[in-house]
């Protein structure tokens, strides 16, 4: 696996890789500096524009990882269907 530059480290960087279709899933966290916050915004915007799933917290990343371990036999239902089943 090749490394990907942070936005602040110059091109080609993660946003370029997202736009090129080289990235399928993004986990991004921010250390609260202005540069990191701006870079994170660019990453999230590119992910949304390219229909890439992204997570912005470690808790979200961990939950997604656990969910992927148990994805066989799952069905997608609406919230209304779920409430009807619980009633």
């Amino acid at each position: 696996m090749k490394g990907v530059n942070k936005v602040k480290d110059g091109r080609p960087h993660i946003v370029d890789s997202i736009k090129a279709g080289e990235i399928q899933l993004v986990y991004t966290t921010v250390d609260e500096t202005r540069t990191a916050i701006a870079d994170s915004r660019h990453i999230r915007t590119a992910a949304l524009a390219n229909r890439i799933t992204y997570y912005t917290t470690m808790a979200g990343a961990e939950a997604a990882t656990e969910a992927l371990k148990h994805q066989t036999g799952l069905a997608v239902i609406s919230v209304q269907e779920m409430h009807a089943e619980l009633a």
Side-chain angles (χ1 to χ4, degrees):
M1 177 178 195
K2 71 174 186 164
V4 179
N5 287 336
K6 294 180 180 180
V7 176
K8 70 176 184 156
D9 293 336
R11 293 189 117 136
H13 51 60
I14 184 68
V15 174
D16 296 324
S17 296
I18 291 170
K19 290 178 179 179
E22 298 170 351
I23 306 290
Q24 289 81 40
L25 180 64
V26 175
Y27 296 120
T28 182
T29 58
V30 179
D31 64 10
E32 302 300 324
T33 64
R34 282 182 176 256
T35 303
I37 292 169
D39 290 354
S40 180
R41 180 174 169 267
H42 291 297
I43 293 167
R44 289 190 318 274
T45 301
L48 282 170
N50 290 277
R51 301 179 57 95
I52 307 289
T53 300
Y54 71 93
Y55 299 94
T56 57
T57 65
M58 286 305 298
E62 289 173 4
T65 301
E66 280 301 310
L68 289 171
K69 292 179 186 176
H70 305 283
Q71 66 182 349
T72 58
L74 296 179
V76 177
I77 62 171
S78 69
V79 172
Q80 293 82 359
E81 290 172 306
M82 182 172 45
H83 282 286
E85 287 181 14
L86 295 173

